Amino acid sequence: MQTPRIEPPKDLQPVYGYRKFWAECLGPAPELPMSRAEMDALGWDSCDIIIVCGDAYVDHPSFGMAVIGRALEAQGFRVGIIAQPDWRDKQAFMALGEPNLFFGVSAGNMDSMINRYTADHKVRKDDAYTPGGTGGKRPDRSTLVYAQRCREAYKHCPIVLGGIEASLRRLAHYDYWSDKVRRSVLVDAKADMLVFGNAERAIIEISHRLAQGESISDISDIRGTAFLAPQLPDDRQIVDSTQIDMPGRIDEIPSPYQSENTDQADSSSAASTENTSCAYNTANQQPASATSNAVQVMDMAKLNTKPAAKKPFRSKNAIIRLPDFEQVKQDKALYAHASRVFHQETNPGNARILVQRHGDKLVWVNPPPTPLSTEEMDWVFELPYTRKPHSHYGDAKIPAYDMIRFSVNIMRGCFGGCSFCSITEHEGRIIQNRSQDSILREIENIRDKTPGFTGTISDLGGPTANMWRLHCVDEKIEASCRRPSCVYPGICSNLNTDQTPLIELYQKARDIDGVKRVLIASGLRYDLAVKTPAYVKELVTHHVGGYLKIAPEHTEDGPLSKMLKPGMGTYDEFKRLFDKYSKEAGKEQYLIPYFIAAHPGTTSKDMMLLAVWLKQNGFRADQVQTFYPSPMASATTMYYSEYDPLRRLDGEKVFIPKGLKQRRLHKAFLRYHDPENWPMLREELKRLGREDLIGNSKRHLIPRDQPRGLAGRGQRFLTQHTGLPPRDNGGKKASTRHSKSKRR
């Protein structure tokens, strides 16, 4: 591959504005083909693009494979689907022949490792994206395996990676399952290009340029793409990441990359920056010694002087060089520093090119894609989806489809910035909205075309339920902002929080003929909801089916500050409004709060206080969530490095509940009512000096004695000694209804 060429920015072309490829004359396929026989029926001799995916093929806009497939079809390309192939045999990847342009490879809607393993590393028995819910139909690290099989099948065919698994592994990243830092997925997969985020804009341009005869090795200027480059260009300013954000107080070495062996290929471009050098030895292709380049983060309390203030480098045209793969693999402080810089470069309005050396190649990551306009979003969601699984599956049930077939996605993105979540790194923090008319038309299509519809829309939402049409009040401020969250530590004064348009959408949706109910199932930002009480009233009066799930995540300020979540005062305000409007509507409804165990920054004392809060408020959680370190999330960086990338690295370590025993202990506090957890909780409460919480009255957290044989009298014992109803939430009537639902 040649050194990437850098061209001036081009005028942004809408995704529907390209001249169509010649195969447009064939018209849209009833279903994108999955076999040669289906291709023959369509009159196709070959596919221009073949999408290989770890999910079953469901032709619905909630499935990334269908969105990309239909978007490319609308450009005039013939698109085939290889869904859940047998990864052990390259013949499965030759089922549709060699594509004329490229293979598109995705693990699916979920990361394949999260799909297959629990937070405790246990293998899941089921897979919601597989017919019959059967587990084991995709390999671990599906993106890598599929790409390797595509290369075996057709050696010279270009391979483009996409989907959330590839998106969150575009740079060196901590891998929870192997407990080590892994290389960029581009390197291991030996793919030609990677598209990250919701990739319609990038993949459409790539396809047209390949169709025009351009080589994929020459395509280097598309936003939202990453690729491997041999070296840095000599006509651009190259800036060390330490000039962007200095990783704390270091020793006399001005740069964490400095060593006696400097990459000669980079010296000319580095000379244009301040103190820029790179710890890389080109003679033997090995990193310089760890002792010469490791950041030494000092205890600031032991220093007599504060570090000199360093003016951040803000040139928009520079290329930011992150520490090399070998460096972040060896030095946790450098890893945390690289993560911090990466997260500062996620705003498409000011993000710059990032490069990171892996061996003799550079992983080159262009800035994030420009968000889709409302007109483009409408175009994407109104493509001719059948809204059903492919007929190949017959009557087999696909649980993920059953969950969303009556739901409508109204937006993309999230500006919440929760540290344990990777939505911002994937979809971005600028909200991309559909128009009201497009959303209402989709509801009518569900009513008229989706089998089994009985009048209930199961959700109007997206990554969050109530960010539709919310935005920064000033485009210039939005384009220059680098805050990780628009709502933490408080809601930004520049954020428009008016949810009146969403109220109108809800009202019009429930007024459509044939629609009996419109429920809201997406995650609700209650800190935003309380800013528009009329929204809470509309939600509670018409769109809650008895229970509303929300996620405070914790009650204590320590963990919440690491999560970037609001305090419980906001929860209390939302609960007050929820109860008020439920009463006015004459409805008995309940909030179901969700909490995370073992999140970075959480101590056993924090979990104890959370358990006390749960007991005092009458909650018993049957299913609880343990922190899952997903790739690229800020909280994952905390988990691995024990540094907080949300702030400048000054030597302060974050307490991390690691190890199976400690993680299970934190989970046990959330399930304080489970007798199996009482022995370990008694031991921990004694260690914390809180034996006052052990006793046999209703005011105690857990009983003093361990019962024998809970069968038969177990529920009676729990009710007597904890004062809680038999099931999952506060209120005996609600618990009874929940129990009946379980029995049915």
Side-chain angles (χ1 to χ4, degrees):
M1 183 175 188
Q2 300 174 359
T3 300
R5 73 174 191 272
I6 307 297
E7 296 182 346
K10 296 180 291 187
D11 291 336
L12 191 64
Q13 186 166 349
V15 292
Y16 48 77
Y18 289 83
R19 182 179 179 181
K20 303 294 189 293
F21 192 58
W22 71 265
E24 181 202 15
C25 63
L26 299 176
E31 298 175 302
L32 300 181
M34 294 180 63
S35 67
R36 280 281 192 173
E38 292 175 66
M39 290 171 58
D40 293 340
L42 293 169
W44 297 6
D45 60 345
S46 62
C47 290
D48 300 309
I49 299 155
I50 295 176
I51 297 174
V52 180
C53 187
D55 295 339
Y57 171 34
V58 179
D59 196 23
H60 188 286
S62 290
F63 290 76
M65 171 185 4
V67 171
I68 295 300
R70 288 298 189 181
L72 291 172
E73 179 192 55
Q75 303 294 322
F77 299 107
R78 294 167 295 177
V79 182
I81 301 289
I82 299 179
Q84 297 188 318
D86 180 359
W87 68 90
R88 304 170 188 87
D89 184 2
K90 72 175 184 180
Q91 295 298 321
F93 296 78
M94 304 173 74
L96 304 182
E98 182 174 2
N100 300 321
L101 299 180
F102 65 89
F103 275 111
V105 174
S106 169
N109 271 20
M110 283 184 68
D111 183 288
S112 63
M113 300 301 287
I114 295 176
N115 178 283
R116 182 159 169 75
Y117 297 95
T118 69
D120 293 335
H121 294 279
K122 295 180 180 178
V123 177
R124 301 185 197 272
K125 297 180 180 179
D126 56 355
D127 182 344
Y129 292 89
T130 298
T134 306
K137 295 296 184 181
R138 73 184 83 209
D140 290 356
R141 312 185 200 287
S142 297
T143 301
L144 292 180
V145 177
Y146 290 160
Q148 291 165 356
R149 293 295 175 270
C150 288
R151 187 65 76 203
E152 291 175 12
Y154 300 105
K155 184 176 181 180
H156 300 292
C157 183
I159 297 173
V160 180
L161 308 181
I164 193 165
E165 180 168 283
S167 184
L168 300 184
R169 288 169 167 78
R170 54 191 186 262
L171 290 165
H173 57 279
Y174 171 70
D175 183 82
Y176 173 64
W177 303 273
S178 59
D179 193 27
K180 67 180 183 180
V181 176
R182 290 180 65 96
R183 298 183 296 184
S184 164
V185 69
L186 259 175
V187 178
D188 289 340
K190 297 180 174 60
D192 298 279
M193 187 171 285
L194 181 153
V195 292
F196 56 88
N198 298 115
E200 295 94 346
R201 196 182 296 285
I203 202 70
I204 287 171
E205 183 172 351
I206 291 168
S207 302
H208 280 292
R209 289 170 66 170
L210 291 176
Q212 292 167 8
E214 197 168 345
S215 170
I216 196 166
S217 63
D218 292 332
I219 299 176
S220 61
D221 57 344
I222 300 177
R223 279 177 165 268
T225 64
F227 50 88
L228 296 177
Q231 62 185 30
L232 291 167
D234 56 10
D235 59 349
R236 287 292 292 272
Q237 190 175 27
I238 315 300
V239 180
D240 270 355
S241 56
T242 51
Q243 290 183 257
I244 305 301
D245 194 272
M246 187 175 181
R249 179 66 177 266
I250 59 177
D251 58 10
E252 295 179 354
I253 300 174
S255 164
Y257 309 102
Q258 194 170 34
S259 70
E260 295 180 359
N261 301 307
T262 303
D263 187 347
Q264 297 299 319
D266 297 342
S267 61
S268 61
S269 57
S272 63
T273 67
E274 300 175 4
N275 298 323
T276 303
S277 57
C278 301
Y280 191 81
N281 186 337
T282 56
N284 57 14
Q285 304 298 324
Q286 293 295 324
S289 66
T291 57
S292 68
N293 59 37
V295 172
Q296 298 182 18
V297 181
M298 306 298 291
D299 185 350
M300 300 302 292
K302 297 180 180 179
L303 297 175
N304 295 324
T305 59
K306 294 183 179 180
K310 192 176 183 71
K311 185 177 180 180
F313 190 91
R314 293 305 185 205
S315 171
K316 291 185 177 181
N317 298 317
I319 296 174
I320 309 304
R321 182 163 183 178
L322 297 174
D324 299 351
F325 163 70
E326 288 293 342
Q327 292 174 298
V328 298
K329 181 180 180 180
Q330 295 169 9
D331 191 315
K332 292 184 177 182
L334 267 184
Y335 182 91
H337 159 71
S339 173
R340 177 169 166 79
V341 172
F342 166 79
H343 283 88
Q344 291 175 345
E345 302 295 326
T346 56
N347 182 348
N350 58 23
R352 291 157 290 195
I353 294 168
L354 300 175
V355 295
Q356 185 178 56
R357 189 175 288 280
H358 288 59
D360 61 349
K361 295 288 187 181
L362 287 167
V363 174
W364 179 293
V365 180
N366 280 323
T370 302
L372 297 183
S373 66
T374 295
E375 292 76 17
E376 290 173 313
M377 285 282 286
D378 289 352
W379 178 82
V380 166
F381 281 89
E382 295 193 62
L383 292 167
Y385 307 101
T386 64
R387 300 187 67 89
K388 297 183 292 185
H390 192 280
S391 56
H392 164 80
Y393 303 115
D395 295 330
K397 297 292 185 182
I398 301 176
Y401 167 68
D402 290 339
M403 183 182 300
I404 55 86
R405 62 176 172 160
F406 304 128
S407 69
V408 179
N409 195 323
I410 65 175
M411 47 77 71
R412 287 177 179 171
C414 179
F415 49 70
C418 300
S419 67
F420 52 82
C421 177
S422 299
I423 291 175
T424 298
E425 292 73 30
H426 183 60
E427 293 194 352
R429 62 187 179 91
I430 295 176
I431 304 303
Q432 303 169 69
N433 308 284
R434 294 176 64 186
S435 70
Q436 183 184 96
D437 289 344
S438 175
I439 295 166
L440 297 179
R441 283 195 295 270
E442 183 170 347
I443 294 175
E444 292 172 346
N445 283 333
I446 292 174
R447 177 196 63 191
D448 299 337
K449 299 178 181 179
T450 303
F453 181 67
T454 59
T456 299
I457 297 296
S458 60
D459 188 27
L460 288 183
T464 57
N466 57 323
M467 287 187 183
W468 187 65
R469 291 198 180 179
L470 301 190
H471 55 84
C472 188
V473 297
D474 189 312
E475 292 183 359
K476 292 183 179 179
I477 293 175
E478 180 179 68
S480 62
C481 181
R482 295 183 186 272
R483 286 181 57 175
S485 172
C486 299
V487 291
Y488 185 88
I491 296 176
C492 179
S493 59
N494 294 308
L495 180 66
N496 164 40
T497 60
D498 181 17
Q499 289 153 92
T500 303
L502 192 54
I503 297 172
E504 181 182 342
L505 173 65
Y506 288 180
Q507 292 172 341
K508 290 191 174 183
R510 58 186 172 86
D511 286 342
I512 292 176
D513 289 341
V515 174
K516 300 175 183 177
R517 300 190 70 187
V518 177
L519 299 176
I520 305 302
S522 294
L524 182 78
R525 286 297 304 212
Y526 55 85
D527 51 347
L528 289 172
V530 297
K531 295 295 183 181
T532 309
Y535 170 76
V536 181
K537 182 175 183 179
E538 169 71 20
L539 175 74
V540 170
T541 305
H542 300 286
H543 307 283
V544 175
Y547 302 95
L548 179 65
K549 297 177 181 178
I550 60 174
E553 309 298 4
H554 215 284
T555 58
E556 304 309 300
D557 291 340
L560 290 172
S561 69
K562 302 305 180 187
M563 299 175 181
L564 299 188
K565 292 287 287 187
M568 290 302 289
T570 308
Y571 169 85
D572 293 336
E573 172 63 13
F574 179 78
K575 185 178 185 305
R576 184 187 67 81
L577 293 174
F578 180 89
D579 292 342
K580 173 186 175 183
Y581 294 130
S582 293
K583 184 177 180 180
E584 289 180 3
K587 295 185 175 183
E588 187 174 3
Q589 300 183 138
Y590 301 92
L591 285 178
I592 307 298
Y594 275 58
F595 298 94
I596 295 180
H599 189 278
T602 308
T603 64
S604 293
K605 181 180 178 182
D606 293 325
M607 294 306 301
M608 176 199 70
L609 294 173
L610 172 54
V612 170
W613 184 92
L614 290 170
K615 172 69 182 295
Q616 291 174 345
N617 287 273
F619 288 109
R620 278 178 49 206
D622 281 344
Q623 295 181 345
V624 299
Q625 179 182 2
T626 306
F627 170 67
Y628 207 147
S630 58
M632 206 166 277
S634 295
T636 300
T637 298
M638 296 182 208
Y639 177 89
Y640 167 66
S641 70
E642 299 182 9
Y643 292 104
D644 182 359
L646 302 174
R647 52 180 294 177
R648 281 190 61 175
L649 308 182
D650 58 5
E652 179 184 350
K653 291 294 188 75
V654 178
F655 174 77
I656 307 296
K658 283 189 177 181
L660 188 60
K661 181 178 180 180
Q662 192 167 46
R663 286 168 65 84
R664 284 181 174 173
L665 172 64
H666 281 208
K667 185 176 180 180
F669 272 113
L670 288 180
R671 289 184 50 79
Y672 65 92
H673 54 278
D674 186 342
E676 292 185 3
N677 294 327
W678 291 347
M680 74 172 80
L681 291 179
R682 288 191 196 98
E683 181 181 341
E684 185 65 12
L685 289 173
K686 291 176 182 178
R687 189 189 71 80
L688 293 171
R690 292 304 306 269
E691 293 185 63
D692 59 302
L693 294 175
I694 304 172
N696 295 331
S697 73
K698 294 181 179 180
R699 65 181 179 83
H700 292 102
L701 183 64
I702 59 173
R704 187 174 302 279
D705 303 312
Q706 192 72 10
R708 295 182 179 178
L710 285 179
R713 68 185 188 91
Q715 292 295 342
R716 186 168 62 254
F717 180 91
L718 291 175
T719 302
Q720 177 183 351
H721 288 83
T722 66
L724 294 176
R727 279 285 174 180
D728 189 80
N729 46 64
K732 292 185 178 180
K733 187 172 183 180
S735 300
T736 302
R737 288 163 54 191
H738 187 61
S739 299
K740 290 180 179 178
S741 175
K742 285 276 189 179
R743 287 196 293 272
R744 285 200 297 269

